[in-house]
Amino acid sequence: MAAHPVPDAHDELFELRLERWLPDCEAGLRAVYGSDEVPDLLAAVVGVLRTAHAARRPALRVHDQRRLLRPDWFQQPGMLGYAAYTERFAGDLAGVDDALGYLEELGVTYLHLLPLLTPREGDSDGGYAVADYRRVRPDLGRNEDLSRLADTLHERGMSLCVDLVLNHVAREHEWARRARAGEERYRRFFRLFDDRTGPDAYEATLPEVFPDFAPGSFTFDDELDAWVWTTFNSFQWDVDWSNPDVFVAYLEVVCHLANLGVDVLRLDAIAFLWKRLGTACQNEPEVHAITQALRAALRVAAPAVVLKAEAIVGPRDLVPYLGTGRHHGKVSDLAYHNSLMVQVWSMLASRDVRLTVHALRQFDPVPTTTSWLTYVRCHDDIGWAVDDGDAAAVGLDGHAHRGFLSDFYSGGFPGSFGRGLVFQHNEETGDRRISGTAASLAGLDAALSLPEGPARSAALDAVVDRLLLAHAVVMGFGGIPVLWSGDELALRNDPGWAEEPGHAGDNRWAHRPRLPWRRNDLGESAEDRHDPSTVTGRVFQGLRRLTAARRGVAQLHAATGTEVLDPPDPGVLALLRRHPEGPMLGLYNVTERTVHVTGWLLGLHGLHDCVDRVSGERVLVDDAGQVELAPYAVRWLVAG
Ligand code: GLC
């Protein structure tokens, strides 16, 4: 009997994936590019995917299958992220490997290493001006070191996220270099203008991202003999996604990173990808079609990999990044919940949850296959994305509230505990964004400036409580909560931030401190994390308790939606998550008052007998039928 040739299982699976996802890719491309361009483009895409599949390491092919068998891996309640600059966290990639025990101690399952591909020399906007997508920064290690780290992380049940900076490249990147040398193919990779007519027309409706140190959105380049679109800094050249060659070029980069072992690609500044005259050139529909095409292609080549949208946009524009309408479930798997982050700080400053309740209720539900990425702080400044309509709905003036938050967190408001720095004061709009570590914003510097004594102790207690409350809100919201490096140790603003070459003009470096494995000039040390008499120890251990509690709470799976309840008190945020295993009611007292919540609220949701999963204790309704919430108390209540 003639034996049937056995096809390679992975090749067969690849063909099945092509059959499954190529139509989504094609639909995305058709929404963006001309119908005469699509057939050739699709053929080029398939070519890239076949090459990438052939080059994928056996370990990663098995990894793909594991992920496909557990497609909700990134939605699990046990997910906890940690984001850091490699060199500031651990020196280099080998150092990260040595620090994995530290991350495991915290319960981290997802590690975002900020830009680690070779940037331009000199100021590179923290690595966001990439000169070579194919090479890891030499001072951090080699590509092999990144692959090895990815394998180690996978063995330990962790995933790796890296940035895909896809709105712009460094002026020194090969594409830009060849454009400057006059190669027509590469001039078409950018948006060039012979004179100011085009730039002036666009600038009429373009907001400025860095009005202080990079005003305007276009830069004249002598070598190009043209104006080039530069949304961010003059050395970051926006690429032209309306050119299909750009799509193919980025798909190659995406496949290259996927084959190094990356699990999550952070789509940096994704909102800016598509430009349309007469608009703010953000959130244009083509952005979502391009993302759909990229994601579908990636599902074919490397289904273990998911996409994360970094769209720091207003609340109304955010949900489409997780997929609405025809893109439902087909664009990014993860998106930053910038609005929740802003609201956390707004609640702490105003001791009032009503704006937050209204703002969060405006969010449409997100696809159940996706997940928010929630956070208290990140490496960027905080822009007060408070919608004017939301503010008005609760009797506030949006502009005035944003002004209040800037005053409060830069220490200017009477009685304020925040000690941040004003970032990018926009004279025209009055906007003032804020830099600062979570601890400095939550009052640590202010507390430490008090003389020793009971007032200072009380202020320090409040700082610890505020930091834990802020993190509990983002951990109890559902999605992947991500800790920003140093916040787990309550590190303060780095006083020497301006001294490093290229950093002086950009005070975001104040909240990007080096992790103090050895005690630093401020007296901070990672070793204190085990010392309960220190703020560092209290915050670190408090976060550990929260992350350990979170792991076992089925209701925190990201597929479960969050309902924002009417606040039982203006100072208490109440979030309900209905789940087949029963509801979970999260209560957060954002004030330094003791608050009483009616026990009726618990009964209404079937939680007459309930346990607080944070403390592990039963919840007692007092004789007056009330539940007491101490200042800054957090409760995750489930039946039991
Ligand atoms: C993103 C990054 C930010 C950077 C910008 C330009 O917003 O988070 O740090 O400045 O993109 O790449």
Side-chain angles (χ1 to χ4, degrees):
M1 231 170 44
H4 292 291
V6 180
D8 178 274
H10 287 289
D11 288 343
E12 205 169 37
L13 291 169
F14 174 82
E15 298 301 329
L16 287 173
R17 297 200 299 266
L18 209 51
E19 186 182 306
R20 162 69 181 85
W21 278 300
L22 206 59
D24 282 352
C25 179
E26 184 175 352
L29 296 176
R30 283 199 183 281
V32 176
Y33 303 107
S35 46
D36 48 330
E37 289 169 322
V38 171
D40 283 354
L41 177 53
L42 209 55
V45 165
V46 173
V48 172
L49 299 181
R50 286 197 187 284
T51 307
H53 169 66
R56 196 147 170 87
R57 286 185 277 130
L60 292 178
R61 293 174 177 211
V62 174
H63 191 52
D64 286 335
Q65 295 313 311
R66 288 218 173 88
R67 296 292 207 215
L68 285 167
L69 289 170
R70 196 186 288 279
D72 63 344
W73 64 272
F74 59 90
Q75 298 183 296
Q76 298 292 326
M79 288 297 290
L80 175 71
Y82 188 89
Y85 279 102
T86 306
E87 70 281 12
R88 304 177 92 74
F89 172 56
D92 56 15
L93 290 170
V96 173
D97 208 279
D98 295 339
L100 291 183
Y102 173 85
L103 297 178
E104 279 174 343
E105 212 180 307
L106 265 171
V108 170
T109 61
Y110 161 111
L111 177 61
H112 173 197
L113 294 176
L114 275 92
L116 45 63
L117 303 175
T118 304
R120 74 193 291 268
E121 281 178 22
D123 185 2
S124 66
D125 186 21
Y128 285 100
V130 181
D132 187 351
Y133 288 108
R134 304 212 167 234
R135 203 156 60 98
V136 164
R137 254 171 68 181
D139 58 318
L140 300 182
R142 294 166 308 149
N143 287 3
E144 297 73 43
D145 298 314
L146 187 63
S147 290
R148 204 169 310 122
L149 177 64
D151 289 346
T152 309
L153 289 169
H154 297 159
E155 280 158 24
R156 294 187 174 208
M158 297 191 209
S159 53
L160 175 65
C161 169
V162 304
D163 283 85
L164 175 67
V165 184
L166 78 176
N167 176 68
H168 43 264
V169 296
R171 183 178 182 272
E172 291 70 18
H173 185 277
E174 188 194 344
W175 304 337
R177 203 167 37 73
R178 295 177 77 167
R180 283 191 276 126
E183 282 189 51
E184 202 38 52
R185 170 178 156 83
Y186 290 100
R187 285 180 69 93
R188 282 190 287 105
F189 268 47
F190 302 95
R191 290 182 169 266
L192 308 183
F193 302 85
D194 292 338
D195 56 35
R196 282 293 308 180
T197 319
D200 286 344
Y202 279 105
E203 276 183 353
T205 52
L206 275 178
E208 285 187 278
V209 180
F210 294 143
D212 270 9
F213 53 64
S217 297
F218 300 85
T219 302
F220 188 80
D221 189 274
D222 288 335
E223 287 177 48
L224 286 174
D225 193 24
W227 291 87
V228 56
W229 198 306
T230 53
T231 298
F232 294 88
N233 289 289
S234 58
F235 52 78
Q236 290 166 300
W237 289 13
D238 289 37
V239 292
D240 183 357
W241 277 88
S242 71
N243 174 358
D245 291 345
V246 167
F247 183 89
V248 176
Y250 272 101
L251 183 60
E252 284 174 343
V253 171
V254 162
C255 290
H256 167 75
L257 295 173
N259 278 353
L260 288 178
V262 168
D263 297 277
V264 180
L265 287 170
R266 173 185 181 276
L267 305 178
D268 178 65
I270 175 83
F272 297 86
L273 242 51
W274 198 266
K275 328 290 188 194
R276 176 165 282 120
L277 195 64
T279 72
C281 297
Q282 287 187 53
N283 314 312
E284 289 298 306
E286 286 82 355
V287 172
H288 304 300
I290 291 169
T291 313
Q292 171 173 324
L294 265 186
R295 178 179 184 271
L298 189 56
R299 303 301 291 164
V300 178
V305 184
V306 300
L307 298 181
K308 173 174 72 165
E310 189 248 350
I312 308 306
V313 298
R316 302 291 182 282
D317 293 314
L318 192 48
V319 173
Y321 286 88
L322 288 176
T324 47
R326 66 179 190 281
H327 300 303
H328 165 249
K330 294 182 179 173
V331 284
S332 290
D333 307 272
L334 295 160
Y336 285 83
H337 205 320
N338 167 55
S339 192
L340 180 66
M341 182 273 291
V342 165
Q343 292 299 336
V344 165
W345 294 106
S346 173
M347 289 188 291
L348 287 175
S350 61
R351 282 85 165 173
D352 195 310
V353 306
R354 286 173 290 188
L355 172 62
T356 303
V357 167
H358 183 84
L360 292 177
R361 282 181 173 172
Q362 304 313 305
F363 278 79
D364 286 333
V366 300
T368 53
T369 51
T370 63
S371 173
W372 287 116
L373 188 141
T374 61
Y375 61 116
V376 170
R377 286 294 293 118
C378 72
H379 71 290
D380 280 328
D381 51 288
I382 307 179
W384 302 115
V386 172
D387 185 82
D388 284 339
D390 291 347
V394 296
L396 295 173
D397 174 88
H399 188 259
H401 188 65
R402 292 190 291 272
F404 158 69
L405 293 172
S406 298
D407 287 343
F408 191 95
Y409 285 111
S410 55
F413 192 82
S416 147
F417 49 72
R419 295 292 181 269
L421 307 163
V422 171
F423 178 73
Q424 305 292 319
H425 184 176
N426 188 330
E427 305 281 352
E428 220 170 282
T429 61
D431 251 16
R432 284 169 297 149
R433 284 138 63 185
I434 292 289
S435 294
T437 65
S440 287
L441 298 181
L444 188 49
D445 309 67
L448 291 174
S449 70
L450 298 172
E452 293 273 359
R456 174 171 157 148
S457 300
L460 290 174
D461 289 349
V463 172
V464 173
D465 289 348
R466 266 181 220 122
L467 285 172
L468 294 179
L469 174 102
H471 283 94
V473 172
V474 304
M475 286 190 196
F477 195 80
I480 307 184
V482 177
L483 301 172
W484 172 237
S485 182
D487 284 346
E488 77 281 16
L489 299 174
L491 299 188
R492 283 184 281 151
N493 294 341
D494 177 357
W497 65 268
E499 281 149 34
E500 286 179 53
H503 292 183
D506 185 345
N507 66 25
R508 289 178 297 175
W509 290 101
H511 58 247
R512 299 169 179 173
R514 289 174 192 280
L515 210 86
W517 299 106
R518 288 207 214 107
R519 205 164 291 285
N520 65 18
D521 292 347
L522 287 176
E524 300 167 328
S525 166
E527 283 175 10
D528 290 345
R529 71 188 186 277
H530 299 128
D531 180 351
S533 71
T534 62
V535 169
T536 292
R538 290 166 68 190
V539 169
F540 190 92
Q541 297 306 331
L543 290 174
R544 275 190 66 181
R545 275 194 299 279
L546 283 172
T547 61
R550 189 174 192 274
R551 215 168 297 143
V553 182
Q555 289 83 351
L556 288 173
H557 189 286
T560 304
T562 300
E563 279 171 55
V564 186
L565 302 183
D566 284 334
D569 177 286
V572 177
L573 182 69
L575 302 176
L576 184 71
R577 301 175 66 76
R578 292 180 206 269
H579 185 273
E581 287 187 24
M584 169 186 149
L585 178 63
L587 295 176
Y588 307 90
N589 177 2
V590 305
T591 75
E592 46 275 89
R593 293 183 283 122
T594 298
V595 175
H596 292 93
V597 170
T598 166
W600 179 80
L601 179 68
L602 276 53
L604 186 65
H605 298 294
L607 295 168
H608 313 268
D609 290 317
C610 65
V611 178
D612 170 23
R613 294 299 296 261
V614 178
S615 63
E617 288 166 10
R618 298 200 73 74
V619 172
L620 301 176
V621 179
D622 63 22
D623 293 343
Q626 304 218 303
V627 176
E628 185 176 290
L629 292 179
Y632 297 121
V634 172
R635 299 267 188 279
W636 290 345
L637 305 178
V638 298

